Amino acid sequence: MTTGATVWLTGLPSAGKTTIAYELAGRLREEGHLVEVLDGDEIREFISAGLGFSREDRHTNVQRIGFVAELLARNGVKALVPVIAPYADSRDAVRKRHELGGTPYVEVHVATPVDVCSERDVKGLYAKQAAGELTGLTGVDDPYEEPETPDLRIDSQHQTVQESAASVYTLLSERGLA
């Protein structure tokens, strides 16, 4: 039985959260860890369908994901969660749920600047926002509250995906979780 943990990767859209999570997942699986990636887009489609992007709906979405992650983690799975989670109080509530259950929780801030995210624009969100086709884009015209004291901060624009994933892996190793 491996020790489970939740690794929450927060950051702006197109910051690199999901790419880093999948890179890390591959490495952990190679070592025999049970791993699930709780991709924010997939969760929105299958678990949080019907929720919008109001502050309340975003909070509900984050709490649902946090519940599933903690459930997996306390059962020996590394739950990698690349989800924006723009509000500090929502992320804090997830961390507290883990602490109450004695479940390891790691918060990683993928601190990619908005201009770099806009250049990457993996899903075309920044282009749609600039064209007036989209409002409520996190970090542009909707708030993103950066974590004040994350367990790890990654400046993904200055390193490769492999280096970013390796830094998360190092933190997990230091904490006896990898």
Side-chain angles (χ1 to χ4, degrees), residues 10 88 91-92 107 109 144-151 153:
T10 180
R91 293 189 306 266
D92 290 345
E107 182 179 72
H109 179 206
Y144 176 74
E145 299 170 355
E146 290 191 7
E148 291 182 17
T149 56
D151 297 291
R153 188 175 315 275

Side-chain angles (χ1 to χ4, degrees), residues 3 7 10 13 16 26 37 39 52-53 58 60 64 70 77 84 88 98 103 112 119 129 134 136 152 165 168:
T3 300
V7 179
T10 180
V37 177
D39 181 280
F53 291 90
R58 289 176 190 245
T60 298
R64 288 177 183 176
E70 199 275 334
V77 177
I84 296 168
H98 282 71
T103 307
T112 310
E119 289 172 18
Q129 192 277 335
L134 175 74
L152 177 65
V168 180

Side-chain angles (χ1 to χ4, degrees), residues 2 4 13 25-26 50 88 106 113 121 125 129 139 144 148 155-156 166-167 174 176:
T2 62
V106 175
D121 204 10
L125 299 175
Q129 192 277 335
Y144 176 74
E148 291 182 17
D155 295 315
S156 72
S167 64
E174 290 170 353

Side-chain angles (χ1 to χ4, degrees), residues 8 62-63 66 89-98 105:
W8 197 290
V62 168
Q63 296 317 297
D89 60 341
S90 296
R91 293 189 306 266
D92 290 345
V94 171
R95 180 184 290 274
K96 286 178 185 158
R97 174 189 308 277
H98 282 71
Y105 179 87

Side-chain angles (χ1 to χ4, degrees), residues 34-55:
L34 300 172
V35 180
E36 289 295 334
V37 177
L38 300 179
D39 181 280
D41 293 332
E42 292 175 357
I43 296 292
R44 277 237 176 230
E45 181 177 352
F46 297 107
I47 294 177
S48 293
L51 289 179
F53 291 90
S54 68
R55 184 178 180 98

Side-chain angles (χ1 to χ4, degrees), residues 62-143:
V62 168
Q63 296 317 297
R64 288 177 183 176
I65 297 167
F67 174 80
V68 172
E70 199 275 334
L71 180 67
L72 289 167
R74 77 172 122 112
N75 284 284
V77 177
K78 302 289 188 293
L80 308 182
V81 186
V83 173
I84 296 168
Y87 303 113
D89 60 341
S90 296
R91 293 189 306 266
D92 290 345
V94 171
R95 180 184 290 274
K96 286 178 185 158
R97 174 189 308 277
H98 282 71
E99 289 172 353
L100 287 172
T103 307
Y105 179 87
V106 175
E107 182 179 72
V108 177
H109 179 206
V110 183
T112 310
V114 70
D115 60 317
V116 174
C117 294
S118 179
E119 289 172 18
R120 292 177 181 172
D121 204 10
V122 178
K123 300 172 196 164
L125 299 175
Y126 293 92
K128 286 180 183 176
Q129 192 277 335
E133 300 169 14
L134 175 74
T135 59
L137 182 59
T138 302
V140 177
D141 59 354
D142 206 58

